[in-house]
Amino acid sequence: MLRYLITRALSLGASLVVASLVIFTMIEVIPGDPASFMLGLNASEDTVAALRDELGLNGTLSTRYLNWIGGLVAGDFGTSYTYRVPVAELVVERLQVSLPLAIFALLLSTLIAIPVGLIAATRRGEMTDYTIMGATQMGIAVPNFWFAMLLVLVFAVQLRWFSAGGFPGWDAGIGPALKSLTLPAIALALPQASILARVMRSSLLDVLHQDYMRTARAKGLSIAQATRRHALRNALIPVLTIIGLQFSFLLAGAIIIENVFFLPGLGRLIFQAITQRDLVVVESVVMLLVFAVILVTFLVDVAYAVVDPRLRRRA
Amino acid sequence: MIDLQNLSVSIHDTPILQDVGLSIAPGQVIGLVGESGSGKSMTALAVMGLLPRGAKASGQIMFDGLDLNGLDDDALCSLRGRRISMIFQEPMTALNPVQTIGDQVAECARIHRTISRDGALRLAAEKLTRVGLPQDRVPLDRYPHELSGGQRQRVCIAMAIALHPDLLIADEPTTALDVTTQAQILDLLKELVAEEGMGLLLITHDLAVVAGMADRVAVMRKGKIVEQGETEILFRTMSHPYTRQLLEASNHAPAGIAQPSAAPLLQVNNAIRDYPLPRTRLLGPAPQFRAVDGVSFTLNKGESLGLVGESGCGKSTLSRAILGLEALQGGDILLNGDPISPDMDTARRAGLQVVFQDPYGSFNPRWKVEKLVAEPFHLLGARPEDWRDQVRQALAEVGLPGEAMTRYPHEFSGGQRQRIAIARALILRPELIVLDEAVSALDVSIRADILDLLADLQAKHGLAYLFISHDLGVVRNVTGRVLVMRAGQIVEEGETETVFTTPQHDYTRNLINAAPKIPPAWRTA
Amino acid sequence: MTRLPVQLWIGAALSTSLLAAVLISFLWTPYDVTTLNIAEKLKAPSASYLLGTDHFGRDLLSMLMEGGRISISVAVLAVGIGMGLGVPLGLMAAANRGSWLDEVIMRGNDLIFAFPSLVIAILITATFGPSATNAIIAIGIFNIPVFARVARGGALTIWTREFIMAAKVAGKGKIRISVEHILPNIANLLIVQGTIQFSLGILAEAGLSYVGLGAQPPTPSWGRMLADAQTMIYTTPRLAIAPGLAIVAMVLGLNLIGDGLRDLLDPRIRRARE
């Protein structure tokens, strides 16, 4: 178990290093001179030189890279050129919207998908199964941001149950804050839940055909008991993989959905940074996103070891 | 105690069982014998009430005056595992991989009785000890993947006997196990029957297994019981022709064993093959496993040499080295004096061909037979002009019509596929064919035909065979000389008959004693 | 002959009719979408404008037909990149299972998985500015590990089969075996995955264009049309609904084809049905 985790943690570290190199190359090496790139064509030599100085672009590539990484580790993400505040401050503020949104959506999609997949699998070939499969097929085909627009149209414009967008902030209380995240979370969660429910169904169907299910029945367990006690945990192994993968989709999806609902999250931050060529922000936020995805992959690996004893080797 | 009357089963209107009648008394062992597809497993599933979806059963399954056919699942659930239990063929997959063996055995008690978790685990420990898995060696918190096949089958038996059932059904319980493990499991079952006074329905394809185990035997064919009776009487009289045919086929010896010349064809000199094991430490060299440990032997031209051993003894590794697929870490292998290695030239490779065990996995399912059989022509650089004629001729030699050429492998039966595999091995007229468990997956009657075919081809073309098998009976009937392999080493070598009648090494003796046999006195007729 | 699965028919009908409409747009559209006609702006659907017009007076139907070009070609090219690079990588990894090459390829795969296509698009856009090519590259790169994984996984099970051993005995090398024996036997998996990635590509392109990282004005694409429509969603929801439905229909059609093909090509399911 420990060995397995150490191996996974080492590979996580290696991924982070390579990922940071890729990002650094894309942002600071390929454009040539990031300072003149950020200021555009009309900038004078002096302003460019001043910015270059401010961003610490005068060192060699390796020192610049090490400075950047060292800063990240110490929590110093640099200073935004457009906002004139530390990027870390911006990020922490925006994360208070994006992270709860992604987690809200992940919970919602998992909580919907697992029972739905379970029902479809146990009613295989019946009307319920066909209906669920048809609905999930539809759910997968819907772009989440378009679905978000439809939700706004129905629940905000027509029914006026929710506001069409904006975020009151956590200071306004948990209730209103969560309420403003509800429609975005539903929009994000539904397509993911459709995928997850299908995975759950097929994984469970696979497991139901395994020999040990026959053994369980031969012991005198009813179909429901055998499913609950032997099939579920085995069926969850592939579902975990998908949940892990979905986190990266949810994060990316959240960035897009924030645009629909005018939520002040990481997504709006990064798109504004792109239009304003604020590379310091882009670089750090992208690194943060990638870090989050890699971290979740690691957590899924840990969860694997908990669920599947074959991965834990006796020391 | 249990009495099947006129039991018929059909799946989607295809009859699977017809008018099966069978009864089992407490403390009695009934052997149910038949080839694959005879319906013997279906009979067991019908008794358990676990028939696959779409199956319909008619007739009666009387169990202590209660007709099981027609009971609802709840009623059956309360019987299954408590009064009737079952063990299956594949111990490797029969246990839930993510639950400890203790919990799995304890579960039987937990669902049928009101018992605390601790009480159930105590019972599990007791039962596991009874089946030969004492707590100090195999504690309750082990997971199935940490156990060997034989140990897993013992866990299955512990689950099955946990609540003193009246009837135990064992469906090919030892088919997936090595011969020595098989003997231990069969002994265990026999003891349990005597101790617990339960009835045992033992389902198997192997007549020798029932001969040593069963009080009564029923022979099944195409969904019907063709003959049943007291074991000894049944074996002595063999009143039904199918039973006789089955017995003859199971011990079939092709006429005459080829007389080899004295010229050596294959020479294996002190061969060593190491595998790296998974690292136990993050740094440092990976530990090595020595699969083949200093093996030496000679195979003469035109000879049939047997290589027997249990799974994991290194015989398959050795065969891959002989085929030039994997490099040795020490020693050498010579074919006609030229060394064999993964990078030897193709002409040398052409002298060596192989037939594998699995008639289903041996062919690319997307290729037609002509292309499959012609694959070894790759060794000549290009297919000769008349390759189709040569393929047709090779197929004819193995008894397949020319029209087979344009068909796909899935259109053939297991026995026919093995013939195609032999045609493929034959097409370049090699001097040596490695038969790697080549008849192990076949039913006995088909196996007999293939053995005859191999003998004919050997006589005709002067082929040499290296006959690798775990099945001592077959090796005894078809080879002139035999090697016994264990843990990477050859422990005994000699004339087959001599080795079998007067084995010198303890291990060989164990192997031969463990193999189930029909008492010679029974086959007088 | 086995009966074709019903979802295959529905899927094929949906996606081919959309594809046909898009192809026709190269020859003919009801109106020219490059000329603006403010006088005709925001017309409701009628006989002359089947789906009505947008805020510049452009015919919505014509825009949908033309907009599909970018959406579909981005998705197709991205699948091409993913298959073209991913499948050989996966085959190589499988043929050298457990070697350093396998390790490097699979770790590289994991690394790309850590970059959602949106993030790749953000990186590319930050340095090169937005364009449809970005979308192709970003989605294409993300497809590489998907195909590599499917190819490797499928190939590994084929490599353990005895007919591969027979091919080795016939003196065939890894590359030849991969091409002759492995590839035809994993083609099923790849085709099914191809249709899935195609549909995901449509969705991803729509997302990228919607946030301005994909196709740029005046090139119409389904995702861009949605972005333009968003501001008018309260007044003219029709403008947002039509392109959305086009995306849904295309993606649904492709997914149904994928599902149907899987049923048709998977011998396990086929046997169960016969």
Side-chain angles (χ1 to χ4, degrees):
Chain A
M1 177 88 172
L2 193 66
R3 240 180 70 78
Y4 169 79
L5 288 184
I6 291 173
T7 325
R8 298 313 303 167
L10 283 178
S11 121
L12 167 122
S15 301
L16 280 177
V17 171
V18 182
S20 65
L21 279 171
V22 171
I23 294 169
F24 182 77
T25 311
M26 281 299 288
I27 300 285
E28 298 206 20
V29 182
I30 291 179
D33 180 7
S36 51
F37 178 82
M38 284 167 76
L39 292 170
L41 295 172
N42 303 326
S44 71
E45 269 304 309
D46 292 349
T47 23
V48 173
L51 179 65
R52 205 178 287 137
D53 202 41
E54 184 190 328
L55 296 178
L57 294 179
N58 291 321
T60 60
L61 279 180
S62 55
T63 43
R64 272 160 59 193
Y65 172 74
L66 290 177
N67 282 342
W68 175 53
I69 292 295
L72 286 184
V73 172
D76 173 14
F77 288 39
T79 305
S80 161
Y81 168 68
T82 39
Y83 292 89
R84 292 283 161 199
V85 286
V87 177
E89 220 168 86
L90 281 175
V91 166
V92 167
E93 187 188 312
R94 302 305 183 97
L95 264 182
Q96 291 175 10
V97 179
S98 295
L99 200 60
L101 177 57
I103 292 173
F104 193 175
L106 192 66
L107 281 178
L108 209 57
S109 104
T110 312
L111 290 180
I112 296 172
I114 289 181
V116 167
L118 183 68
I119 293 170
T122 49
R123 303 269 163 96
R124 185 191 188 177
E126 293 172 26
M127 208 51 220
T128 325
D129 183 24
Y130 288 128
T131 315
I132 290 175
M133 284 296 99
T136 54
Q137 194 67 267
M138 220 37 215
I140 294 172
V142 173
N144 53 20
F145 63 93
W146 182 67
F147 184 56
M149 288 171 158
L150 295 186
L151 286 177
V152 169
L153 206 58
V154 175
F155 293 101
V157 179
Q158 302 289 330
L159 297 171
R160 298 187 177 279
W161 290 357
F162 292 91
S163 64
F167 184 69
W170 293 100
D171 300 337
I174 290 185
L178 278 185
K179 193 177 172 194
S180 70
L181 292 182
T182 304
L183 285 187
I186 293 175
L188 270 175
L190 221 66
Q192 301 299 327
S194 302
I195 297 174
L196 205 57
R198 294 176 80 86
V199 173
M200 179 71 197
R201 172 181 180 270
S202 68
S203 151
L204 198 59
L205 285 178
D206 276 352
V207 171
L208 290 177
H209 284 111
Q210 296 292 317
D211 283 354
Y212 53 79
M213 291 303 289
R214 196 176 54 180
T215 307
R217 293 279 285 145
K219 274 192 224 177
L221 273 73
S222 67
I223 292 176
Q225 281 174 317
T227 307
R228 198 172 57 241
R229 302 169 79 126
H230 294 283
L232 271 183
R233 193 156 153 200
N234 282 292
L236 277 179
I237 295 171
V239 172
L240 265 179
T241 316
I242 304 297
I243 292 180
L245 279 181
Q246 283 197 337
F247 185 76
S248 77
F249 285 106
L250 282 175
L251 217 53
I255 288 175
I256 296 182
I257 290 283
E258 283 166 10
N259 263 17
V260 182
F261 291 94
F262 307 103
L263 294 174
L266 278 185
R268 306 223 11 112
L269 177 66
I270 200 165
F271 289 124
Q272 277 158 2
I274 288 174
T275 29
Q276 289 154 350
R277 300 193 165 184
D278 192 342
L279 292 184
V280 182
V281 172
V282 174
E283 192 177 42
S284 298
V285 174
V286 165
M287 189 62 221
L288 192 72
L289 290 176
V290 171
F291 172 72
V293 174
I294 293 178
L295 185 70
V296 169
T297 319
F298 175 70
L299 292 178
V300 169
D301 285 338
V302 175
Y304 265 150
V306 172
V307 175
D308 191 343
R310 284 164 293 189
L311 288 178
R312 299 176 229 150
R313 227 175 268 140
R314 225 160 256 278
Chain B
M1 168 188 56
I2 194 150
D3 201 7
L4 312 187
Q5 291 160 10
N6 304 326
L7 177 66
S8 297
V9 171
S10 60
I11 297 181
H12 302 303
D13 298 327
T14 311
I16 303 293
L17 296 180
Q18 288 171 42
D19 287 332
V20 170
L22 197 65
S23 67
I24 306 168
Q28 198 183 34
V29 180
I30 302 288
L32 185 58
V33 187
E35 294 186 284
S36 51
S38 61
K40 52 194 197 303
S41 294
M42 223 33 103
T43 310
L45 293 177
V47 173
M48 294 296 285
L50 291 176
L51 287 170
R53 269 196 202 205
K56 276 200 220 33
S58 65
Q60 280 149 5
I61 305 169
M62 301 306 293
F63 178 71
D64 281 350
L66 185 70
D67 186 0
L68 302 185
N69 187 17
L71 283 188
D72 64 7
D73 196 56
D74 283 347
L76 285 168
C77 277
S78 83
L79 290 174
R80 284 196 288 256
R82 188 171 62 92
R83 302 201 56 200
I84 309 177
S85 31
M86 183 162 177
I87 53 178
F88 300 93
Q89 173 172 352
E90 239 340 306
M92 302 313 273
T93 51
L95 295 169
N96 183 347
V98 303
Q99 212 177 49
T100 62
I101 57 169
D103 282 336
Q104 293 190 58
V105 177
E107 188 177 35
C108 303
R110 303 262 285 158
I111 52 178
H112 291 293
R113 286 186 192 160
T114 35
I115 185 170
S116 69
R117 190 183 139 83
D118 284 348
L121 283 173
R122 264 197 304 279
L123 179 76
E126 179 194 315
K127 294 296 170 186
L128 284 168
T129 307
R130 174 62 200 92
V131 299
L133 300 175
Q135 287 307 294
D136 50 342
R137 285 197 295 127
V138 187
L140 292 177
D141 62 355
R142 285 293 160 93
Y143 286 94
H145 70 275
E146 299 171 299
L147 308 183
S148 69
Q151 288 176 320
R152 291 190 212 189
Q153 196 61 298
R154 286 172 193 270
V155 174
C156 292
I157 294 174
M159 286 193 307
I161 59 154
L163 301 177
H164 306 283
D166 303 289
L167 173 66
L168 173 62
I169 303 175
D171 187 1
E172 303 269 14
T174 57
T175 307
L177 304 174
D178 276 326
V179 57
T180 44
T181 320
Q182 156 165 305
Q184 291 160 7
I185 296 287
L186 291 176
D187 282 345
L188 174 65
L189 286 174
K190 224 190 238 172
E191 281 169 37
L192 289 170
V193 167
E195 228 169 76
E196 313 253 327
M198 64 183 177
L200 172 65
L201 176 62
L202 179 66
I203 296 172
T204 175
H205 67 284
D206 191 341
L207 280 171
V209 166
V210 290
M213 289 283 293
D215 302 307
R216 288 175 63 83
V217 175
V219 181
M220 240 183 149
R221 184 198 192 190
K222 294 183 182 162
K224 287 181 187 148
I225 289 185
V226 296
E227 184 177 7
Q228 62 175 309
E230 296 280 333
T231 308
E232 187 176 342
I233 298 171
L234 184 126
F235 275 93
R236 281 184 186 274
T237 53
M238 289 280 156
S239 54
H240 196 279
Y242 178 70
T243 317
R244 221 173 304 140
Q245 192 191 323
L246 210 55
L247 182 69
E248 143 62 15
S250 71
N251 196 30
H252 181 78
I257 287 166
Q259 289 307 309
S261 71
L265 173 64
L266 181 78
Q267 287 162 290
V268 179
N269 302 315
N270 203 18
I272 289 173
R273 177 81 182 94
D274 289 330
Y275 280 116
L277 291 173
R279 286 163 195 272
T280 46
R281 283 172 300 158
L282 284 176
L283 301 171
Q288 301 281 318
F289 172 69
R290 185 151 288 189
V292 175
D293 186 7
V295 166
S296 301
F297 66 88
T298 303
L299 170 66
N300 289 331
K301 291 194 173 171
E303 185 180 13
S304 280
L305 178 66
L307 176 62
V308 296
E310 297 186 291
S311 53
C313 74
K315 57 188 195 300
S316 300
T317 309
L318 180 59
S319 89
R320 281 196 296 276
I322 290 172
L323 290 168
L325 299 178
E326 291 174 3
L328 291 175
Q329 277 68 47
D332 56 11
I333 300 176
L334 305 175
L335 184 71
N336 282 323
D338 299 320
I340 285 177
S341 70
D343 45 9
M344 64 183 163
D345 65 49
T346 52
R348 202 171 308 158
R349 215 175 257 286
L352 263 175
Q353 286 297 315
V354 62
V355 177
F356 295 108
Q357 170 173 11
D358 181 7
Y360 296 88
S362 293
F363 305 106
N364 184 340
R366 310 202 170 270
W367 282 14
K368 286 181 178 160
V369 167
E370 56 181 7
K371 200 172 168 194
L372 291 168
V373 173
E375 188 168 35
F377 282 133
H378 179 72
L379 290 170
L380 305 181
R383 285 196 286 224
E385 292 273 309
D386 63 336
W387 69 276
R388 279 209 162 78
D389 294 328
Q390 294 196 34
V391 168
R392 186 170 295 117
Q393 199 196 335
L395 286 171
E397 286 204 68
V398 299
L400 289 173
E403 72 197 37
M405 289 172 68
T406 52
R407 286 154 67 190
Y408 287 95
H410 70 261
E411 299 174 55
F412 297 89
S413 71
Q416 286 172 323
R417 287 186 215 208
Q418 219 54 338
R419 286 171 190 267
I420 298 172
I422 295 170
R424 173 171 62 189
L426 212 55
I427 190 114
L428 290 183
R429 294 272 175 274
E431 289 182 276
L432 172 63
I433 297 183
V434 176
L435 300 165
D436 191 352
E437 302 275 5
V439 296
S440 303
L442 304 174
D443 274 328
V444 287
S445 50
I446 294 159
R447 184 174 82 190
D449 294 343
I450 297 288
L451 291 177
D452 282 339
L453 172 67
L454 288 170
D456 287 350
L457 292 170
Q458 183 168 45
K460 208 158 134 195
H461 301 297
L463 297 169
Y465 292 143
L466 178 62
F467 201 103
I468 300 173
S469 180
H470 70 282
D471 188 332
L472 299 171
V474 175
V475 170
R476 184 173 191 172
N477 286 334
V478 301
T479 62
R481 218 153 49 86
V482 68
L483 311 167
V484 181
M485 194 165 178
R486 183 201 189 189
Q489 295 178 324
I490 304 287
V491 297
E492 186 158 359
E493 175 180 359
E495 300 288 324
T496 305
E497 237 359 84
T498 322
V499 170
F500 275 83
T501 45
T502 52
Q504 299 302 309
H505 195 277
D506 284 347
Y507 178 69
T508 318
R509 250 193 304 275
N510 277 343
L511 268 188
I512 293 171
N513 289 337
K517 281 178 271 308
I518 301 168
W522 290 6
R523 32 169 81 211
T524 45
Chain C
M1 185 63 205
T2 47
R3 200 164 48 89
L4 287 179
V6 60
Q7 64 266 49
L8 196 59
W9 285 112
I10 303 175
L14 270 176
S15 35
T16 45
S17 51
L18 272 160
L19 193 63
V22 170
L23 289 177
I24 289 170
S25 79
F26 283 102
L27 303 172
W28 170 84
T29 47
Y31 293 88
D32 182 5
V33 299
T34 49
T35 48
L36 311 183
N37 186 356
I38 304 296
E40 297 285 312
K41 74 169 186 177
L42 297 175
K43 289 273 187 225
S46 64
S48 42
Y49 298 101
L50 277 180
L51 295 175
T53 62
D54 74 352
H55 51 298
F56 293 121
R58 293 176 295 184
D59 176 44
L60 200 56
L61 178 63
S62 308
M63 286 184 70
L64 276 184
M65 288 168 70
E66 279 209 33
R69 291 183 198 169
I70 288 286
S71 304
I72 291 173
S73 44
V74 166
V76 167
L77 289 171
V79 169
I81 293 177
M83 268 202 186
L85 294 174
V87 172
L89 283 173
L91 288 177
M92 262 197 304
N96 298 289
R97 173 180 204 173
S99 71
W100 61 268
L101 186 66
D102 182 20
E103 194 64 18
V104 166
I105 292 175
M106 292 324 288
R107 291 290 81 77
N109 260 345
D110 289 350
L111 187 70
I112 300 180
F113 263 126
F115 287 83
S117 47
L118 182 75
V119 172
I120 302 177
I122 287 172
L123 276 177
I124 301 176
T125 310
T127 26
F128 298 106
S131 71
T133 320
N134 279 354
I136 296 172
I137 296 173
I139 303 167
I141 290 179
F142 193 72
N143 278 343
I144 296 172
V146 174
F147 282 102
R149 239 173 227 213
V150 171
R152 179 176 180 272
L156 281 182
T157 55
I158 306 286
W159 271 102
T160 62
R161 305 272 294 275
E162 285 180 342
F163 68 82
I164 298 299
M165 194 94 99
K168 288 187 198 161
V169 171
K172 292 184 174 170
K174 284 174 183 169
I175 296 175
R176 184 176 279 272
I177 289 177
S178 292
V179 173
E180 284 187 4
H181 286 294
I182 308 285
L183 198 55
N185 280 295
I186 61 168
N188 289 352
L189 292 174
L190 296 177
I191 291 169
V192 170
Q193 197 62 44
T195 59
I196 294 171
Q197 295 310 119
F198 186 8
S199 74
L200 287 177
I202 302 259
L203 284 176
E205 189 280 333
L208 292 180
S209 298
Y210 170 74
V211 290
L213 299 180
Q216 295 301 302
T219 319
S221 97
W222 292 339
R224 276 203 38 72
M225 289 171 70
L226 282 174
D228 291 343
Q230 197 189 347
T231 44
M232 282 169 290
I233 192 150
Y234 304 103
T235 49
T236 333
R238 167 176 59 83
L239 292 181
I241 288 173
L245 283 179
I247 295 172
V248 171
M250 192 69 203
V251 174
L252 184 64
L254 289 168
N255 284 339
L256 288 174
I257 292 178
D259 258 25
L261 282 179
R262 183 176 2 221
D263 283 9
L264 192 69
L265 298 176
D266 186 339
R268 273 187 313 168
I269 299 175
R270 190 167 56 196
R271 217 172 295 133
R273 196 177 13 201
E274 273 164 7

